[in-house]
Amino acid sequence: MPKKTPASVKPVVRVLPLLGVSHLDRPFDYLVTEEESEAAQPGVRVRIRFNGRLVDALLMQRLSESDFDGKLAYIDRVISPFQVYPQQLSTLVDALANRYGGNRSDIIRFAIPPRHAKAEEADLDTSFEDLGEITEPDLSPFSAYQHGESFVDFVLAGNTARAAWQVAPGDDWAAAIAALGTKVALDGRGVLVVVPDQSDVDMVEAAFRKYVSAKQVTVLNVSQGPQARYRRYLSVLVGQARIVVGTKSAAFAPVKDLGLAVIFNDGDDNLVERSAPYVHSREVLTTRSAQENCSLLIVGHSRTAETQLLVSSGWAHDLVAAESTLRTRMPAMIAVGPYGLNFSRNIAAGSRPAQRGASTSSASAAQPGAGTTSLDGRAYQAAKSALDRGEPVLVQSPRKGYVPTLACAKCFTRARCRHCNGPLTLPHSQEQAATPSCAWCGKMEPRFKCTECGSNRLRAVVLGSERTAEELGRVFPNTRIIVSGGNKVVEEIPHAPALVVATPGAEPRVVACKVTEATADGETPYYGAALLLGAGALLNRQDLRAGEDAMAKWMAAATMVAPAAKGGAVVISANPGVPVIDAFLAWDVVGFARHELNSRREVRFPPAVHMAAIDGADAALDDFLDVAKLPEHAEILGPVPLPENLSLPGEYDTKRFGAAQRLLIRTPLGPRSELGIALRAANANRSARKDDLPLRIQVDPINIG
């Protein structure tokens, strides 16, 4: 074997092994040969021998000499000449690892797609082709917002501006973002738009393609194949892609000279990575805005407490429409009692649903033995008026399925399976059987008996979308019914009479059709009315963000409804007097966000404080606290049993480790990385001692319980 000769210039390479081990999440020094010196540039992938085996690593630095006293080994080889880990991404990953108390290799695995050799053979053109004459991007929608025009002017002048844009009803946010993004790109800077799901990606991409060609809009998402995803990442890396649109992983895209970053609906949990260290795309973009001095726009129909904190602290500013504009554009907002939009609910175990008489203020239609359907008069009138005008009606059902949750009709105790203690449901619409079954083990329960009061009668806690569609079909027997949700999501529907029953997030867009083109006046078609069912099911969840999530789901639906001047109405099944309901009826999204943030401050929950949730076995939590050097004023809460709706990743052996526990650590607001650095150091100490007890660390988790 020929003797290896160190490179004549800077022969030492500092590399980061991608091991996923906390105490080895640090750089190591190696040597590079003269033959590979040219290819061994900072940011490239290399192969090294580490602890007797070959592993992948990223080259961080070239040095003239090492501070390691021992003998240095040579890297095995340079895997690829592409510098997939540029300095801007390295700085970002370092900051996020400290913020979330995680390993850099875990974040890198999420940020950089796996290498695909065929993708590297593609021709990567770094030019942004001359567009010639294009339609001038329409920036007029921003004029309806206070400080909207000055924000646009500031961004286009190359300055750094940060805003929380509260989209007013009637505005096409995707079209406005595409117009602003196109102007930024034409000025030679990069644009990055991050959205929660594929339907939003399609919408934003279509909006951009009104101004630029398909080649100039690069889409990044996890659904793409390995070759396509890596190829597009490389196009971003070399500067070919100036406009990037994608889901959560796109937040890391190394866009050159980033001028504008946009995130839509930051409260959607699809924007949180599902594996450690559980990075949130909003935190990625806020960090990039600070590091790269790019403008940031947080867009939404609703607003999270985290976004409101950014505004309250002065780091970002409001971009909201005047109250007069809102009143002109919003639909009529109506609240009816929580039972005003409910349908037949009592069910005898092993029999058909029981009949109930409708109130005198209801419109009803019943079939023998099928139960009775009732709608509050105002809800019925809103739906009927919209259908009579030839417009669709949206019915938002909080759950998919038939009857997903059952309880005792007498004492309201949740109905549980006798075999596995799982929840009882009615999973299908065969009413003649109407036999509850377990959602976990599937066993039928023909002879239900309440463990608390002994009653054999059941009631629906909330009706699913299938049952809701069935009952509405009885009220409006000659109307088309469309169900959207679960694995059958309908993307769009024609602007024609129909009842659309959809779960939150699965509401179809309304598009013009031949039937209504003559009366559409060239405007975007809307739903004529929306009925929002099961408000209690959304608000009564044992979750810190229940009100915030409910507001987001309702606003997303209400925004799709025509303004009151055109007959549009939104009817929600709830009583006024609850802050979130009152804010929704008044379309006071910012006011509710302020209320939510103030409420969190009172009870000292995120984002008013920094908080970490540590989950694991009792012994693991004790060991962790023994080695952790927490910041001053850190407060430890617990441990307590892990909430029932949460579980540890992997296969947690309860018999071996005992019931999983949760420990909460909170500190006052301060440097964002202070708590994360302490947790990261403690986890590295634990890893060095080869403590293999299961443990999960989440900093400022989106769901605390």
Side-chain angles (χ1 to χ4, degrees):
M1 185 175 181
K3 185 178 179 180
K4 294 182 178 180
T5 305
S8 57
V9 178
K10 294 186 177 180
V12 178
V13 291
R14 186 157 288 170
V15 303
L16 176 68
L18 302 180
L19 301 171
V21 181
S22 296
H23 71 285
L24 299 177
D25 185 35
R26 61 186 181 85
F28 293 83
D29 289 351
Y30 283 77
L31 292 173
V32 64
T33 63
E34 182 66 37
E35 291 77 14
E36 291 200 300
S37 179
E38 185 177 350
Q41 299 301 316
V44 302
R45 284 187 171 103
V46 297
R47 186 69 57 85
I48 61 172
R49 189 165 292 278
F50 191 92
N51 196 26
R53 62 190 181 97
L54 289 175
V55 299
D56 288 345
L58 290 167
L59 199 156
M60 310 287 287
Q61 281 180 283
R62 291 284 300 266
L63 303 168
S64 298
E65 57 183 26
S66 172
D67 53 9
F68 178 64
D69 295 332
K71 183 179 179 181
L72 296 180
Y74 285 90
I75 63 171
D76 184 72
R77 63 187 176 92
V78 176
I79 297 176
S80 166
F82 285 94
Q83 295 169 268
V84 295
Y85 194 54
Q87 183 58 47
Q88 69 185 75
L89 183 55
S90 175
T91 305
L92 174 65
V93 169
D94 287 348
L96 292 172
N98 288 334
R99 168 80 173 91
Y100 284 98
N103 296 333
R104 282 179 289 185
S105 56
D106 290 334
I107 301 175
I108 290 168
R109 185 180 63 250
F110 177 58
I112 305 176
R115 178 177 179 258
H116 196 287
K118 285 289 184 182
E120 294 183 345
E121 297 173 4
D123 179 28
L124 295 172
D125 179 12
T126 60
S127 64
F128 190 78
E129 67 183 47
D130 184 10
L131 299 179
E133 291 189 13
I134 66 169
T135 304
E136 181 67 18
D138 181 15
L139 297 172
S140 61
F142 290 100
S143 301
Y145 297 84
Q146 298 173 7
H147 312 300
E149 293 182 355
S150 59
F151 172 81
V152 169
D153 292 341
F154 208 68
V155 171
L156 295 181
N159 300 305
T160 301
R162 306 180 183 106
W165 179 22
Q166 218 56 57
V167 183
D171 272 349
D172 185 343
W173 65 270
I177 290 301
L180 179 58
T182 300
K183 291 283 285 185
V184 171
L186 290 174
D187 288 341
R189 291 174 296 151
V191 178
L192 174 60
V193 183
V194 179
V195 294
D197 53 47
Q198 187 60 45
S199 63
D200 293 324
V201 169
D202 295 340
M203 189 187 309
V204 175
E205 182 187 14
F208 268 109
R209 289 183 62 177
K210 293 179 180 178
Y211 301 110
V212 298
S213 68
K215 178 182 177 182
Q216 295 158 337
V217 182
T218 299
V219 173
L220 292 175
N221 58 54
V222 294
S223 64
Q224 294 163 343
Q227 181 175 348
R229 189 179 174 208
Y230 187 56
R231 164 67 179 78
R232 296 183 185 196
Y233 181 85
L234 293 181
S235 72
V236 177
L237 188 69
V238 301
Q240 174 183 320
R242 195 174 294 177
I243 301 171
V244 178
V245 180
T247 49
K248 56 188 175 184
S249 61
F252 292 92
V255 180
K256 288 196 172 182
D257 192 16
L258 184 60
L260 175 65
V262 180
I263 184 169
F264 174 68
N265 194 12
D266 66 299
D268 194 312
D269 57 9
N270 283 330
L271 293 171
V272 182
E273 173 54 20
R274 295 292 189 267
S275 57
Y278 310 99
V279 175
H280 196 300
S281 298
R282 179 189 56 243
E283 296 299 305
V284 178
L285 294 187
T286 53
T287 304
R288 292 191 69 170
S289 178
Q291 291 181 346
E292 301 177 41
N293 293 320
C294 69
S295 295
L296 175 66
L297 197 53
I298 303 175
V299 186
H301 299 295
S302 61
R303 180 178 289 188
T304 61
E306 284 78 6
T307 298
Q308 183 58 38
L309 179 64
L310 296 177
V311 174
S312 299
S313 66
W315 192 85
H317 67 82
D318 271 323
L319 207 60
V320 298
E323 187 174 347
S324 58
T325 302
L326 289 177
R327 297 302 169 201
T328 302
R329 298 186 181 186
M330 61 186 283
M333 308 294 284
I334 304 166
V336 301
Y339 295 102
L341 295 182
N342 285 338
F343 306 119
S344 55
R345 304 174 69 86
N346 288 333
I347 303 165
S351 66
R352 303 170 185 169
Q355 295 190 23
R356 278 179 54 182
S359 65
T360 55
S361 63
S362 307
S364 65
Q367 294 178 355
T372 299
T373 299
S374 64
L375 281 174
D376 179 278
R378 291 166 292 180
Y380 174 80
Q381 190 57 47
K384 186 175 184 303
S385 297
L387 294 172
D388 289 345
R389 295 193 303 268
E391 299 171 339
V393 175
L394 175 63
V395 182
Q396 189 186 74
S397 176
R399 300 284 187 273
K400 63 181 180 179
Y402 194 64
V403 181
T405 310
L406 295 169
C408 173
K410 184 177 180 181
C411 68
F412 307 110
T413 301
R414 290 291 177 93
R416 294 283 179 178
C417 173
R418 289 182 291 175
H419 299 276
C420 70
N421 203 39
L424 292 183
T425 69
L426 282 181
H428 52 74
S429 59
Q430 296 176 358
E431 292 196 41
Q432 282 69 23
T435 303
S437 65
C438 178
W440 292 357
C441 69
K443 290 185 180 294
M444 308 289 281
E445 183 57 89
R447 295 182 179 85
F448 167 78
K449 195 167 187 178
C450 179
T451 57
E452 296 294 326
C453 68
S455 172
N456 70 336
R457 301 197 63 81
L458 292 165
R459 73 189 300 271
V461 176
V462 61
L463 298 183
S465 55
E466 293 178 13
R467 177 63 179 265
T468 299
E470 186 177 290
E471 299 289 359
L472 284 170
R474 293 176 179 138
V475 180
F476 302 97
N478 298 318
T479 303
R480 182 188 179 194
I481 307 288
I482 301 171
V483 179
S484 177
N487 58 358
K488 296 180 181 179
V489 176
V490 180
E491 295 293 341
E492 56 185 37
I493 61 163
H495 190 259
L499 283 165
V500 181
V501 182
T503 52
E507 299 90 350
R509 296 187 299 273
V510 183
V511 297
C513 65
K514 292 182 180 179
V515 175
T516 57
E517 279 177 348
T519 58
D521 298 327
E523 296 184 3
T524 303
Y526 294 101
Y527 286 100
L531 310 182
L532 308 182
L533 310 182
L538 295 177
L539 291 177
N540 294 335
R541 294 186 301 115
Q542 297 299 311
D543 192 282
L544 177 69
R545 301 178 185 273
E548 185 176 279
D549 290 345
M551 173 67 92
K553 291 177 171 64
W554 297 335
M555 293 302 300
T559 305
M560 305 173 81
V561 180
K566 295 188 176 182
V570 174
V571 184
I572 184 170
S573 60
N575 288 322
V578 180
V580 62
I581 300 298
D582 290 344
F584 174 66
L585 295 174
W587 211 283
D588 186 11
V589 177
V590 175
F592 177 70
R594 290 197 196 101
H595 168 81
E596 189 73 9
L597 179 59
N598 290 335
S599 298
R600 306 271 184 91
R601 284 187 172 125
E602 290 178 5
V603 296
R604 300 184 63 209
F605 272 107
V609 296
H610 294 308
M611 180 171 283
I614 319 293
D615 303 331
D618 252 335
L621 297 179
D622 290 341
D623 291 345
F624 187 83
L625 289 179
D626 286 342
V627 300
K629 296 181 180 179
L630 298 176
E632 189 179 2
H633 307 304
E635 181 182 5
I636 299 173
L637 307 175
V640 297
L642 189 67
E644 290 184 3
N645 62 325
L646 300 176
S647 61
L648 287 173
E651 296 183 3
Y652 180 78
D653 190 343
T654 305
K655 292 183 180 179
R656 179 184 173 191
F657 302 118
Q661 304 289 305
R662 163 160 285 190
L663 189 75
L664 296 177
I665 302 173
R666 65 182 174 191
T667 62
L669 285 182
R672 298 199 323 170
S673 59
E674 185 179 23
L675 177 59
I677 290 174
L679 298 176
R680 188 180 178 192
N683 202 33
N685 186 306
R686 177 176 171 272
S687 172
R689 292 186 289 109
K690 294 183 169 48
D691 185 350
D692 60 353
L693 286 171
L695 193 77
R696 174 174 60 196
I697 299 174
Q698 297 180 82
V699 175
D700 291 340
I702 192 168
N703 292 313
I704 295 175

